Amino acid sequence: MPGLLRGVARTAAVAGTATAVSNRVARRQQGRWARQAPPGPTPASSPSPSPVASPPLPPSAPLTDDMNDKIDQLKRLGELKAQGLLTEAEFTDQKHRILSD
């Protein structure tokens, strides 16, 4: 039974971390798109300016090599923690280091 719980905990940690990474990437992309959007017409040049919509995120955007590397690092980190080689504090510290790159 402890092996099953360890596997479930590892899966939850990896899935949660992958979700956090995915959300961070989505926020970064939205910020980049917002900065790249052409400025809208000024009120003086156009009596009825149309709103500028940012492009929607694709439902399943392909992961970049950098993102795949981060996910692999996080999986290995989760495995080390599950094996008892890392403490919770070490795991959290390394996870934040990987995600902040």
Side-chain angles (χ1 to χ4, degrees):
M1 189 63 135
L4 177 63
L5 292 176
R6 183 177 303 140
V8 170
R10 180 182 356 199
T11 301
V14 170
T17 305
T19 300
V21 170
S22 174
N23 289 340
R24 183 166 186 254
V25 168
R27 284 192 306 271
R28 275 183 168 178
Q29 287 177 341
Q30 286 176 341
R32 286 182 186 148
W33 288 337
R35 287 191 304 269
Q36 292 175 355
T42 60
S45 66
S46 174
S48 59
S50 61
V52 177
S54 62
L57 286 177
S60 59
L63 296 177
T64 63
D65 288 337
D66 183 49
M67 184 55 56
N68 285 329
D69 291 342
K70 285 184 180 186
I71 291 173
D72 289 340
Q73 288 176 351
L74 292 170
K75 286 179 182 178
R76 287 191 301 256
L77 190 64
E79 290 170 1
L80 291 173
K81 182 178 177 261
Q83 293 171 1
L85 299 174
L86 292 176
T87 65
E88 183 67 34
E90 291 170 330
F91 174 77
T92 303
D93 182 50
Q94 292 298 317
K95 181 173 71 170
H96 288 294
R97 183 187 59 77
I98 292 168
L99 295 176
S100 68
D101 288 340

